[in-house]
Amino acid sequence: RLEHQFQADEPLNTPVNITLDVSVLCANRTLLPSLPPFLPSLPPCPFFSPLPPLIFRAMARLAKEREESQRPGAEKAARTQELHKKLRKLANSCSQVGDDRPISFCQFSPNSKLLATASWSGLCKLWSVPDCELVRVLRGHNEKAGAIVFHPQATLSLSPSSLAMASCAADGSVCLWNLESDTPIAELEGHYSRVSRLNYHPSGRFIGTACFDCSWRLWDLETHTEVLHQEGHSKPVYNVCFHPDGSLVGSCGMDACGRVWDLRTGKCVLLLDGHLKNVLAMDFSPNGFHVATGSDDHTVNVWDLRRKRCIYTIPAHDNLVSHLKFQENAGNFLITSSYDNTAKVWAHPGWTPLKTLAGHEGKVMCIDLSPDEQYYATASYDRTFKLWEKEV
């Protein structure tokens, strides 16, 4: 609930002491044009100005959780069984040589029709999905490219000439791209050490970068300026990710721990200390209270932000865990990639293995799931990337 302080004897246009359920605000389509369909449509409320977007994201997530909790148990069990059946039928549908050097990263576009790859050659490339045809080569890095990520609205509501992607490299360069040019439209200057990973804030206005100077940074993409330079790790920071609501950021690195930070205060609110070696992968679940970390100790830890502790350790692979990701919309499963040449799919709850994706001849550097959940992509040290889909 939101409370505003007013004087009761003042005219109507003067604030009065009222309390309004925030769900009414969340249902106001003039304040949230992209309101999810599971929230009702109510008349606009004249008493309030728009709330910060993170509040709307949080309220939409909670409303969806409430709706899901009211579904009959038999219906949820049937849906889960059908999902697991689909995941067990995943098979390799396409394999493509992506570069003459190892491919370090891959990510699907928001519309699921493009796949971006980053390579140790410094080149980033765009590929069509599902036929894996080369669309564009992006030239901007002189050292090993570590990652390339899409703006949350790229290929959806953004124009092709708008800022749509960002990439990073071992020389500390961060390049910004649109969907029309093969050269960067801008660069973020200020890193003097390797930038291993980067990620967009859910709003699309900010981007976080993980740097080997033992810090992570937050950048404003409208002004191309650094708005936060956060230290706290004792060794290089390898990865950074954002909470679905946008209020929290997670970082992990070579000091064998992860940290959860409050973006509003810049303070570390939770230390994820439980791995024995480098923590290289991290992701928040769409449910808002689970976060997973993958490590060089071959395990994946699942943490509960409410209990502030690790609730499950998955003995995931026979080598380091290079990347992981929750199912984007519901968090009903987790995908991981490893230097043991495989990727795996894990069911939630229980974290039981559903499928092993084997086929690469080298280390699997990254894995991603398309937003429409039709395709999975793996990028490997063997210079290839593969697409996986349900076997017909």
Side-chain angles (χ1 to χ4, degrees), residues 62-354:
L62 293 174
K64 187 175 181 180
E65 290 286 339
R66 284 193 293 268
E67 182 192 45
E68 184 66 23
S69 67
Q70 295 173 358
R71 294 183 183 273
E75 178 184 344
K76 290 191 286 187
R79 289 170 55 194
T80 300
Q81 186 177 11
E82 183 64 26
L83 175 63
H84 291 179
K85 182 179 179 181
K86 176 182 176 181
L87 293 172
R88 291 190 179 98
K89 291 184 177 181
L90 290 177
N92 181 219
S93 62
C94 179
S95 183
Q96 179 67 276
V97 176
D99 203 90
D100 56 5
R101 297 294 306 278
I103 300 177
S104 56
F105 198 84
C106 63
Q107 188 179 82
F108 286 99
S109 63
N111 70 354
S112 303
K113 295 182 180 180
L114 292 173
L115 179 72
T117 60
S119 168
W120 281 9
S121 67
L123 298 177
C124 296
K125 299 181 181 181
L126 294 180
W127 306 83
S128 61
V129 177
D131 52 7
C132 296
E133 295 292 332
L134 182 61
V135 175
R136 185 170 293 111
V137 179
L138 308 177
R139 296 176 172 88
H141 296 293
N142 297 319
E143 294 289 340
K144 298 176 180 177
I148 180 168
V149 292
F150 282 95
H151 186 288
Q153 292 301 315
T155 68
L156 296 178
S157 61
L158 291 182
S159 68
S161 61
S162 300
L163 171 59
M165 297 172 289
S167 61
C168 61
D171 59 2
S173 60
V174 176
C175 296
L176 306 179
W177 314 83
N178 62 23
L179 293 173
E180 296 180 334
S181 174
D182 58 1
T183 57
I185 59 174
E187 292 189 24
L188 300 180
E189 300 179 353
H191 298 101
Y192 302 103
S193 300
R194 173 187 175 187
V195 179
S196 52
R197 290 286 189 269
L198 73 173
N199 252 314
Y200 271 96
H201 185 270
S203 67
R205 176 175 175 176
F206 304 98
I207 199 165
T209 55
C211 189
F212 267 44
D213 63 2
C214 306
S215 71
W216 61 270
R217 308 184 189 202
L218 187 70
W219 300 81
D220 188 329
L221 296 177
E222 291 187 358
T223 60
H224 297 172
T225 57
E226 177 186 298
V227 295
L228 181 62
H229 184 179
Q230 188 64 60
E231 299 177 336
H233 287 271
S234 59
K235 291 186 178 181
V237 180
Y238 191 83
N239 209 336
V240 63
C241 62
F242 290 96
H243 189 277
D245 299 344
S247 57
L248 301 175
V249 59
S251 62
C252 61
M254 306 305 187
D255 54 2
C257 70
R259 292 177 180 269
V260 178
W261 309 80
D262 188 335
L263 272 180
R264 296 160 293 188
T265 63
K267 294 181 179 180
C268 178
V269 294
L270 182 60
L271 175 65
L272 309 179
D273 187 9
H275 288 289
L276 303 177
K277 294 184 179 180
N278 305 336
V279 182
L280 306 176
M282 188 174 185
D283 192 34
F284 287 97
S285 170
N287 65 23
F289 54 84
H290 284 154
V291 60
T293 53
S295 171
D296 197 358
D297 63 12
H298 310 177
T299 68
V300 171
N301 282 352
V302 181
W303 309 78
D304 192 316
L305 298 179
R306 303 165 300 180
R307 303 179 186 178
K308 296 186 176 182
R309 65 180 180 87
C310 177
I311 58 172
Y312 203 91
T313 297
I314 307 172
H317 291 274
D318 297 327
N319 208 324
L320 69 81
V321 179
S322 56
H323 199 72
L324 56 80
K325 184 177 182 178
F326 280 99
Q327 179 195 18
E328 190 166 334
N329 295 320
N332 291 324
F333 60 88
L334 178 73
I335 54 177
T336 61
S337 61
S338 171
Y339 277 20
D340 64 4
N341 300 2
T342 69
K344 295 184 179 181
V345 184
W346 307 87
H348 171 63
W351 309 111
T352 55
L354 290 175

Side-chain angles (χ1 to χ4, degrees), residues 43-65:
C45 174
F47 299 108
F48 294 94
S49 59
L51 293 172
L54 67 90
I55 295 182
F56 287 123
R57 285 192 291 269
M59 295 309 301
R61 174 176 58 81
L62 293 174
K64 187 175 181 180
E65 290 286 339

Side-chain angles (χ1 to χ4, degrees), residues 90-95 130 132 374-376 386-390:
L90 290 177
N92 181 219
S93 62
C94 179
S95 183
C132 296
Q374 296 299 309
Y375 301 99
Y376 299 72
K386 297 181 186 294
L387 290 187
W388 311 77
E389 62 177 317
K390 179 183 176 182

